[in-house]
């Protein structure tokens, strides 16, 4: 995954290609600005030449013999130089700032969209906090780099080129000594940069881990409090934070070495100009004005170069961020053919096996089929693979072997968003979003009318409790629906699944947190709204599934038995024993349901 710095930068440029007009003109104005920035030094040299050489000065040679006019001219040129410098600074600043804003916005949107499209397998390998830190911090680093950092790099390059050229033009014999240090500095910086690169990637990774830990820990704050594990969490944060600190420290230690070295190398250039240039001037081989310009300019060279360490460090940091961001775009995405096919509700599993991350298989050779409009149920011990089966049905994961068909189309050939639009899924752990109740019910189906929302809530036995809330359907339910009880959340999740009038309704333990009376109410309305649509039910409470057309008993990822409630009761097998257990009767074969 590790890429060299230059390649990250090239990739960044490639990414910014659509905005190249902005960054090319910004680069041009930045360069011009560095040129205008050197003008005052040159004008100072001309001023020295004017007052020392008077009638033989450069200005006099150009035809401006009057000393007064010479001074006025100098003043005017200084004003023009400063004016141009300010103007070019304004022009490059707004362009870089513009680019920074466009790029950060586009990068964030595209990265977010990519994460949304990524497969659950690749997504679940990422830590949420780390993704957060990429989408926030790393993009902000890039934004700051474009706003300020890149101009600093141009300053180093531009100043070296301009100062070097002026030196060669005015005094080639000194120029050699001043220009020689430049490649030495650049070489040593590159050597350092190679050394620093992994340190900075390490810093970004450690920062990501801190973010990941914080996000996770804050989500579990209630559990931490109830288990009095505050100290433990603090220690974990301390560990992550210290790792970040150490990573930064390592990088700073090396980075800080660079400045003194560079200063020393530049000093040699200044000394040569001062001493050798002074000697030439005394021997009248060099004009006093030229000597002044050279002295001023070597100083000007020193300034950006002492900053080169910071610039490099910043560049490292930003490229590490860019690399993390670009790596995000390499997460595999769900295949999504564009063919949104309406489905009728026939589901076929053909010898489907599945294992998560190459672990022991969670599903073994499942083969079954439902007709459109049939209601089927899956029961079985916890960990038997019921939710896994539904995750395959929703296309969250692809089977390790075997095939899943909707009508006669294999799931791989279908557009997953297109398919999911036709499925109403209530997951075992429903997730509600910050917002009102109505917004949560119509989530993903914004075209729902208020009447449809109320109808769905009634069918989910939720209307009454909603009406008792202070703001009714406009009540805000807080982050993740934290202002609601478990059973209330489940009923909203059911309403959300049925409001979209799905062809296939899938309920995974959707009533596990409601009381028996509410469950009965939900069951009744489900049998009404379930008419004419395929329904897949998963429930531990068998009363929920006993009316299904077909019940499958899953055991360790395989179908152990199947049939209607009555048929299954006739065999003294897993289902019959589970039923007896729930009815409070004596078990004939407890070993069938207890491992
Ligand atoms: N994301 C995952 N990564 C790895 N293994 C998983 C994952 N989700 C589930 N498993 C494993 O797959 C097996 C089946 O889990 P699944 O959630 O399908 O069981 P279940 O029948 O729904 O159980 P329950 O009744 O408790 O909800 C279990 O052994 C579980 O450990
Ligand atoms: Mg489950």
């Amino acid at each position: 995954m590790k890429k060299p710095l230059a390649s990250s930068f090239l990739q960044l440029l490639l990414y910014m290609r659509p905005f190249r007009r902005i960054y090319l003109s910004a680069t041009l104005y930045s360069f011009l600005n560095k040129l205008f920035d050197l003008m005052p030094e040159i004008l100072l040299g001309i001023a020295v030449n004017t007052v020392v050489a008077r009638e033989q000065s450069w200005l006099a040679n150009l035809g401006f013999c009057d000393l007064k006019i010479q001074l006025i001219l100098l003043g005017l040129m200084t004003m023009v130089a400063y004016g141009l410098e300010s103007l070019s600074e304004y022009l490059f600043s707004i362009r870089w700032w513009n680019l920074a804003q466009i790029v950060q916005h586009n990068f964030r949107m595209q990265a977010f969209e990519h994460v949304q499209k990524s497969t659950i397998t690749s997504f679940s390998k990422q830590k949420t906090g780390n993704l957060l830190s990429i989408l926030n911090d790393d993009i902000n680093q890039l934004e700051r780099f474009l706003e300020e950092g890149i101009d600093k790099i141009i300053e180093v390059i531009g100043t070296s080129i301009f100062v070097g050229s002026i030196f060669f033009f005015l005094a080639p014999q000194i120029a050699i000594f001043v220009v020689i240090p430049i490649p030495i500095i650049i070489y040593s910086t590159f050597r350092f940069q190679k050394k620093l690169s992994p340190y900075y990637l390490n810093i970004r990774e450690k920062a990501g881990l801190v973010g990941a830990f914080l996000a996770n820990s804050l989500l579990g704050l209630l559990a931490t409090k109830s288990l009095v594990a505050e100290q433990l969490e603090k220690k974990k944060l301390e560990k992550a934070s210290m790792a970040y600190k150490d990573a930064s420290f390592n990088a700073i230690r090396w980075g800080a070495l660079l400045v003194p070295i560079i200063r020393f190398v530049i000093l040699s250039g200044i000394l040569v100009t001062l001493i050798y240039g002074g000697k030439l001037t005394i021997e009248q081989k060099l004009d006093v004005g030229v000597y002044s310009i050279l002295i001023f300019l070597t100083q000007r060279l020193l300034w950006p170069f002492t900053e080169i360490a910071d610039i490099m460090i910043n560049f490292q940091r930003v490229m590490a961020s860019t690399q993390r961001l670009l790596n995000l775009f390499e997460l595999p995405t769900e295949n999504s053919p564009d063919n949104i096919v309406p489905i009728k509700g026939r589901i076929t599993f053909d010898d489907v096996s599945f294992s998560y991350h190459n672990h022991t298989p969670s599903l073994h050779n499942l083969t079954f089929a439902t007709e459109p409009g049939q209601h089927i149920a899956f029961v079985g011990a916890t960990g038997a693979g019921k939710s896994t089966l539904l995750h395959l049905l929703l296309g969250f994961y692809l089977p390790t072997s075997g095939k899943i068909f909707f009508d006669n189309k294999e799931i791989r050939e279908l557009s997953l968003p297109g398919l999911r639009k036709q499925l109403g899924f209530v997951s075992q752990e429903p997730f509600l979003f910050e917002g009102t109740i109505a917004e949560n019910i119509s989530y993903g189906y914004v075209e729902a009318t208020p009447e449809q929302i109320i109808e769905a809530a009634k069918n989910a036995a939720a209307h009454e409790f909603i009406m008792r809330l202070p703001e009714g359907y406009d009540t805000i339910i807080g982050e993740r629906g934290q202002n609601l009880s478990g059973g209330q959340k489940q009923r909203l999740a059911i309403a959300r699944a049925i409001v979209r009038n799905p062809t296939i309704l899938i309920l995974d333990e959707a009533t596990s947190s409601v009381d028996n009376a509410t469950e009965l109410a939900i069951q009744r309305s489900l049998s009404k709204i379930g008419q004419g649509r395929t329904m897949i039910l998963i429930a531990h409470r068998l009363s929920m599934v006993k009316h299904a057309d077909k019940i499958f008993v899953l055991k360790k990822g395989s179908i152990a038995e199947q049939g209607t409630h009555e048929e299954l009761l006739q065999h003294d097998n897993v289902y019959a024993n589970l039923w007896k257990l729930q009815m409070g009767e004596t078990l004939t074969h407890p070993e069938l349901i207890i491992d």
Side-chain angles (χ1 to χ4, degrees):
M1 287 285 251
K2 223 173 236 179
K3 289 196 193 71
L5 208 66
S7 124
S8 295
F9 187 62
L10 283 183
Q11 264 184 292
L12 179 65
L13 283 186
L14 213 63
Y15 173 82
M16 297 196 306
R17 238 182 93 79
F19 322 115
R20 62 186 179 283
R21 277 180 64 144
I22 306 182
Y23 71 72
L24 287 179
S25 61
T27 308
L28 176 72
Y29 289 125
S30 275
F31 265 111
L32 284 177
N33 176 260
K34 307 317 160 219
L35 184 62
F36 296 137
D37 199 31
L38 294 175
M39 286 303 152
E41 271 74 10
I42 296 172
L43 290 170
L44 274 174
I46 297 176
V48 171
N49 170 274
T50 306
V51 293
V52 174
R54 293 172 177 246
E55 279 79 14
Q56 272 80 49
S57 72
W58 298 325
L59 289 179
N61 289 342
L62 287 175
F64 304 100
C65 299
D66 190 332
L67 279 177
K68 244 195 241 155
I69 292 189
Q70 287 181 355
L71 290 179
I72 291 171
L73 204 62
L74 270 171
L76 280 178
M77 287 196 291
T78 307
M79 272 170 65
V80 170
Y82 273 94
L84 287 175
E85 192 202 338
S86 305
L87 180 69
S88 56
E89 176 152 357
Y90 170 74
L91 291 174
F92 82 67
S93 296
I94 48 171
R95 275 167 183 74
W96 287 129
W97 281 71
N98 241 333
L99 185 72
Q101 290 317 310
I102 294 173
V103 167
Q104 66 94 6
H105 175 75
N106 283 335
F107 243 143
R108 210 186 309 275
M109 294 311 294
Q110 287 183 15
F112 183 66
E113 204 179 321
H114 191 90
V115 171
Q116 281 188 322
K117 281 193 196 147
S118 66
T119 62
I120 304 285
T121 315
S122 60
F123 176 75
S124 54
K125 282 186 197 148
Q126 302 284 321
K127 289 185 187 241
T128 319
N130 191 36
L131 288 178
L132 264 180
S133 96
I134 296 179
L135 291 171
N136 259 329
D137 299 349
D138 288 324
I139 291 182
N140 291 347
Q141 295 267 6
L142 185 59
E143 178 190 353
R144 271 199 298 276
F145 171 69
L146 291 175
E147 276 171 3
E148 292 164 4
I150 199 156
D151 178 63
K152 290 255 162 70
I153 294 182
I154 294 176
E155 182 170 19
V156 169
I157 300 172
T159 313
S160 316
I161 294 175
F162 297 139
V163 170
S165 314
I166 297 169
F167 257 85
F168 269 109
F169 179 70
L170 292 178
Q173 65 274 49
I174 303 178
I176 296 165
F177 297 101
V178 176
V179 174
I180 282 172
I182 295 178
I184 296 177
I185 293 173
I186 291 174
Y187 175 74
S188 54
T189 319
F190 266 101
R191 284 299 300 262
F192 260 83
Q193 164 245 296
K194 271 208 174 130
K195 216 172 165 53
L196 288 179
S197 174
Y199 286 104
Y200 280 94
L201 202 57
N202 192 25
I203 294 185
R204 295 312 310 153
E205 271 160 15
K206 293 292 183 295
L209 289 181
V210 172
F213 172 79
L214 283 176
N216 217 355
S217 181
L218 291 176
L219 270 179
L221 189 66
L222 274 187
T224 307
K225 272 184 187 291
S226 67
L227 298 165
V228 203
E230 287 91 343
Q231 290 304 326
L232 178 69
E233 289 298 288
K234 239 168 71 182
K235 276 206 188 104
K236 284 190 197 160
L237 175 61
E238 187 164 11
K239 200 170 155 210
S241 187
M242 285 295 276
Y244 173 66
K245 194 175 123 195
D246 291 344
S248 305
F249 183 72
N250 274 335
I252 290 165
R253 211 173 38 180
W254 287 111
L257 251 180
L258 204 53
V259 184
I261 295 176
I262 292 169
R263 204 177 271 271
F264 206 73
V265 179
I266 292 265
L267 178 71
S268 65
I270 296 180
L271 286 180
V272 170
T273 313
L274 192 79
I275 297 169
Y276 185 46
K279 179 174 169 279
L280 291 178
T281 313
I282 293 167
E283 291 166 0
Q284 298 201 332
K285 288 181 188 152
L286 202 63
D287 185 275
V288 187
V290 171
Y291 181 54
S292 320
I293 293 177
L294 298 185
I295 292 280
F296 292 134
L297 284 185
T298 45
Q299 295 288 341
R300 285 307 302 265
L301 204 56
L302 181 66
W303 182 243
F305 270 97
T306 52
E307 274 195 74
I308 198 170
D310 283 343
I311 293 169
M312 263 298 160
I313 288 168
N314 188 24
F315 189 62
Q316 291 292 346
R317 202 179 293 153
V318 173
M319 285 307 118
S321 289
T322 306
Q323 198 175 313
R324 274 159 55 81
L325 198 52
L326 294 171
N327 287 344
L328 203 62
F329 286 104
E330 282 170 18
L331 286 183
T333 50
E334 288 180 335
N335 79 317
S336 201
D338 235 359
N339 55 339
I340 300 187
V341 193
I343 53 170
K344 294 197 186 70
R346 176 181 296 112
I347 302 166
T348 313
F349 269 56
D350 181 13
D351 203 22
V352 171
S353 297
F354 175 72
S355 58
Y356 291 98
H357 319 305
N358 299 328
H359 293 166
T360 43
S362 296
L363 296 176
H364 302 270
N365 310 93
L366 291 192
T367 298
F368 65 84
T370 68
E371 288 309 311
Q374 257 193 342
H375 295 181
I376 61 166
F378 289 89
V379 298
T382 169
K386 305 178 296 293
S387 301
T388 304
L389 188 150
L390 298 188
H391 290 163
L392 292 187
L393 206 58
L394 279 138
F396 289 161
Y397 302 94
L398 289 173
T400 320
S401 68
K403 288 180 175 166
I404 298 172
F405 295 92
F406 284 88
D407 300 341
N408 295 322
K409 283 253 179 223
E410 210 211 319
I411 194 165
R412 288 171 207 257
E413 297 165 29
L414 293 170
S415 143
L416 288 174
L419 170 68
R420 290 172 191 152
K421 266 190 181 101
Q422 303 175 69
L423 308 179
F425 174 53
V426 182
S427 85
Q428 196 166 5
E429 288 154 14
F431 191 98
L432 298 177
F433 293 86
E434 166 90 79
T436 67
I437 293 214
E439 280 163 2
N440 268 280
I441 295 180
S442 63
Y443 185 79
Y445 184 66
V446 282
E447 51 271 48
T449 62
E451 292 73 30
Q452 286 173 322
I453 292 175
I454 293 172
E455 174 75 16
K458 281 185 177 160
N459 283 328
H463 179 68
E464 266 155 35
F465 94 76
I466 295 172
M467 292 313 285
R468 279 200 301 274
L469 293 172
E471 314 270 342
Y473 281 82
D474 295 325
T475 310
I476 305 263
I477 59 168
E479 266 185 46
R480 303 182 305 283
Q482 61 189 356
N483 302 346
L484 298 176
S485 77
Q488 288 170 336
K489 275 189 251 181
Q490 279 195 328
R491 280 177 279 166
L492 285 193
I494 297 175
R496 181 169 68 183
I498 56 189
V499 74
R500 49 173 66 211
N501 193 19
T503 314
I504 302 177
L505 188 59
I506 305 168
L507 307 172
D508 189 355
E509 289 288 349
T511 52
S512 59
S513 305
V514 301
D515 57 53
N516 290 334
T518 311
E519 181 175 278
L520 188 65
I522 295 175
Q523 208 177 351
R524 283 197 179 141
S525 57
L526 282 184
S527 66
K528 195 176 79 202
I529 59 169
Q531 274 170 20
R533 69 178 105 223
T534 308
M535 200 148 79
I536 302 177
L537 287 165
I538 287 177
H540 284 297
R541 249 187 262 166
L542 299 183
S543 54
M544 220 13 223
V545 303
K546 69 180 208 188
H547 300 296
D549 298 313
K550 201 167 208 177
I551 301 168
F552 295 88
V553 180
L554 278 188
K555 198 169 179 187
K556 294 187 181 149
S558 302
I559 296 177
E561 341 166 50
Q562 51 183 296
T564 62
H565 176 72
E566 283 72 26
E567 284 165 5
L568 289 170
L569 283 190
Q570 275 162 24
H571 303 102
D572 193 9
N573 210 331
V574 184
Y575 187 86
N577 275 279
L578 278 175
W579 181 255
K580 280 182 192 153
L581 179 68
Q582 294 192 6
M583 291 296 115
E585 295 170 16
T586 318
L587 299 184
T588 37
H589 292 289
E591 74 282 0
L592 285 172
I593 53 173
I594 303 168
D595 277 332

